[in-house]
Amino acid sequence: MIWSLARRYQADRFGRPVAVLAPPLLVLAVGALALLALRQVSLTRQSVDRAHRVVETSARVLARLLDAETGQRGYLITGDESYLAPYDSARSQMPAAFRRLREAVADDPAQLLRVDSLGALASAKLEELRVTIDLQRANRSAQALAMTRTDRGSAVMNDVRRMVTAIAGAAERRLAEGAVAEHSLAQRSSILLVVGTGLAVLLSLWINIVVTRESTARAVALAGRQQALSERQALLERERAARLEAEIANEAKAQFLTTMSHELRTPLNAISGYTDILAMGIRGELNAEQQEDLRRIKRASQHLLALINDILNFARLEAGHVEIRLGAVDVDVTLAELGTLIEPQVRARGIVVTHDPCPSPVCVWADREKLQQVLLNLLTNAIKFTDAGGRITMRCQADGRQARLIISDTGRGIAADRLASIFEPFVQIDRHQTHESQQGIGLGLAISRDLARAMGGDITVESRQGEGSTFTVSLPVAKQ
């Protein structure tokens, strides 16, 4: 706004070039310093977020092992295969959990060693459970029970607990250091932003006063001959001012959403991490009612964190702050990875998921992480709106220039009069038919379409109510 007014002021040749150029340069300098400080705050917050993920994921590893051990004991005593569900779940989820742990501690060699040690202990524990389960299945229950009475399994679990405590302790120290650094950076950023905003407001008022005074003087001198021109100019000025005010309001909204989402996400991550610590019994043993209360707190915090992340992603997209890193991405590999990722959800819901590979290998020109986010949003919606016994299909089509990644479901479908609005922000379909724990705020499809378009593609939908929906992500084919 200041720069456009200054250019108009200079074009009118009022003879004050220094006064015109100095204010915008000063504001740009303050803005650059503020952006640098905000960048440092962002980096510190990323470090804090990784530490929260370490606490949460390591606690989840211990919880899964304890559940697996409990299931094994139940199976050995009763012979009922249903007791092995926690053991099967632990075996399938451990690789992904340790990948997340290694990514979160990749910049800390000491933590990386602890995570590797924890991985070895977890593998040893699961192997011990497998041996006893195989013995039970071979009708050698006495030998299996005898193995459980040795100190070997207890010693491994004690080592696991000690390693989880060490990992969580190191992460907590990093959280404390990050909190101090973040507070200091936030103070500096606030000061710079206040100074920059104050200067922008004062300089805007000053330039507006000068321009208005000069324009009024000229209008009075030329009133007799240029009345029509003056009226037209006044209308244009009002239109320009209204447009500038709208742009400022939109930027303020995006900044507010981004700031508030960041500020809310940090304590929510802490709530989730410390809930896991309490549930593990590190602070003392809990009874069944207390454990259930912690699980409810955990579910509520995770749901709220997902909503906040949606708001933050949408604000970044609206402000144009999302970085897109394009490269060749293999379609079949991506769909296969997503199929593995959603397997626990579809199994719990009783849904069948099929992946029809591309007729020939296809790579699209896209950002791998953003493409996974788009497809995961579509798959999550398909799971949410498909009842037990339904089917979800992932497939692709391609020609020489464009590839289409197609996700179809046999769910409840979308009414024809709602199809045109489902990609708009904060629009939700069939909210009254969706459980409260699965409800969002209507940003998933809006974010997905904006990301697809940012990568040079688009998302379209075809649906009939009661028969299911088909979402198609179109992206450019990467040149071989």
Side-chain angles (χ1 to χ4, degrees):
M1 179 177 71
I2 296 172
W3 183 249
S4 63
L5 288 173
R7 288 182 61 189
R8 186 184 70 183
Y9 181 53
Q10 187 180 38
D12 287 341
R13 298 177 182 174
F14 292 150
R16 301 181 182 91
V18 175
V20 169
L21 292 175
L25 291 176
L26 178 60
V27 173
L28 286 175
V30 173
L33 292 174
L35 287 175
L36 181 60
L38 287 173
R39 173 62 177 168
Q40 292 298 321
V41 170
S42 176
L43 292 175
T44 302
R45 284 176 175 168
Q46 290 175 14
S47 178
V48 169
D49 287 346
R50 287 196 298 271
H52 281 306
R53 289 201 300 274
V54 170
V55 172
E56 180 182 353
T57 307
S58 60
R60 188 177 294 115
V61 167
L62 177 56
R64 293 290 181 270
L65 289 176
L66 290 172
D67 289 344
E69 187 177 52
T70 301
Q72 172 241 21
R73 298 278 175 85
Y75 173 66
L76 294 183
I77 293 171
T78 65
D80 187 349
E81 290 275 348
S82 65
Y83 279 92
L84 294 180
Y87 164 78
D88 294 333
S89 177
R91 288 185 65 90
S92 65
Q93 294 179 12
M94 282 299 168
F98 278 100
R99 281 197 300 272
R100 290 193 295 272
L101 269 178
R102 287 185 62 84
E103 290 172 358
V105 302
D107 60 341
D108 188 341
Q111 279 285 69
L112 198 57
L113 288 175
R114 296 188 189 101
V115 168
D116 288 342
S117 297
L118 179 60
L121 291 170
S123 297
K125 183 61 184 177
L126 290 174
E127 177 61 19
E128 175 213 340
L129 298 179
R130 184 194 65 77
V131 170
T132 58
I133 290 169
D134 288 347
L135 288 172
Q136 175 72 9
R137 286 171 172 164
N139 295 323
R140 298 165 64 184
S141 57
Q143 187 176 351
L145 288 171
M147 287 187 66
T148 63
R149 297 190 183 101
T150 67
D151 292 335
R152 178 184 175 188
S154 177
V156 172
M157 286 306 299
N158 287 337
D159 289 340
V160 169
R161 289 188 181 92
R162 283 193 291 270
M163 190 58 64
V164 168
T165 301
I167 291 172
E172 287 176 354
R173 288 192 295 274
R174 189 159 190 173
L175 286 173
E177 294 169 357
V180 172
E182 184 175 359
H183 178 71
S184 174
L185 287 169
Q187 283 184 328
R188 283 157 46 192
S189 300
S190 299
I191 292 171
L192 285 170
L193 286 172
V194 168
V195 171
T197 303
L199 283 174
V201 171
L202 292 175
L203 291 171
S204 297
L205 290 173
W206 178 78
I207 292 176
N208 271 309
I209 290 170
V210 173
V211 172
T212 303
R213 184 185 302 133
E214 296 288 346
S215 298
T216 302
R218 294 179 65 189
V220 170
L222 300 175
R225 293 175 298 170
Q226 298 180 336
Q227 184 62 37
L229 180 61
S230 297
E231 291 178 356
R232 180 175 179 274
Q233 184 64 28
L235 289 173
L236 289 174
E237 289 295 331
R238 285 196 293 272
E239 187 273 335
R240 185 181 295 111
R243 185 167 60 251
L244 288 172
E245 288 177 1
E247 291 173 356
I248 292 171
N250 191 56
E251 180 65 23
K253 178 194 71 174
Q255 181 65 31
F256 172 79
L257 289 175
T258 300
T259 302
M260 289 306 299
S261 297
H262 272 306
E263 295 302 326
L264 290 171
R265 189 168 62 172
T266 297
L268 276 173
N269 280 327
I271 290 171
S272 180
Y274 284 105
T275 299
D276 286 337
I277 290 175
L278 291 174
M280 290 163 52
I282 292 177
R283 309 301 190 196
E285 294 295 326
L286 304 177
N287 59 38
E289 290 80 5
Q290 291 168 327
Q291 288 281 2
E292 179 58 26
D293 289 342
L294 288 176
R295 283 191 287 270
R296 291 176 178 174
I297 293 172
K298 179 73 172 181
R299 287 194 297 268
S301 65
Q302 287 176 333
H303 181 60
L304 184 55
L305 184 59
L307 300 183
I308 290 171
N309 284 335
D310 278 350
I311 294 174
L312 179 58
N313 289 333
F314 182 69
R316 285 172 174 167
L317 280 167
E318 272 203 325
H321 295 163
V322 174
E323 183 180 1
I324 302 295
R325 300 179 178 178
L326 298 177
V329 181
D330 189 293
V331 171
D332 276 332
V333 171
T334 300
L335 292 177
E337 289 174 349
L338 289 170
T340 302
L341 189 61
I342 64 171
E343 182 181 355
Q345 294 174 264
V346 298
R347 185 168 60 245
R349 296 266 298 175
I351 300 171
V352 177
V353 175
T354 59
H355 170 204
D356 297 336
C358 301
S360 59
V362 176
C363 288
V364 293
W365 192 246
D367 183 311
R368 182 184 303 275
E369 180 181 348
K370 302 301 185 299
L371 177 57
Q372 288 179 339
Q373 180 181 347
V374 169
L375 294 174
L376 188 58
N377 276 343
L378 298 180
L379 285 168
T380 301
N381 277 349
I383 294 170
K384 184 189 303 184
F385 295 112
T386 301
D387 295 329
R391 177 179 296 275
I392 297 172
T393 302
M394 300 183 294
R395 55 193 175 90
C396 73
Q397 299 173 351
D399 53 31
R401 295 184 300 173
Q402 189 179 68
R404 292 170 292 280
L405 286 66
I406 303 168
I407 296 176
S408 303
D409 64 66
T410 59
R412 67 186 65 161
I414 305 167
D417 60 344
R418 304 301 302 274
L419 280 175
S421 64
I422 63 172
F423 291 104
E424 297 301 320
F426 306 107
V427 171
Q428 299 181 75
I429 306 299
D430 293 336
R431 183 178 180 88
H432 64 285
Q433 298 183 23
T434 306
H435 191 274
E436 183 178 353
S437 64
Q438 294 182 310
Q439 291 178 2
I441 52 177
L443 288 176
L445 288 177
I447 291 171
S448 296
R449 186 174 67 173
D450 286 349
L451 287 174
R453 289 179 173 178
M455 293 184 289
D458 205 351
I459 299 180
T460 57
V461 60
E462 296 178 1
S463 183
R464 296 185 65 178
Q465 196 164 16
E467 297 183 13
S469 303
T470 297
F471 286 83
T472 301
V473 181
S474 302
L475 289 168
V477 171
K479 301 298 182 182
Q480 300 295 324

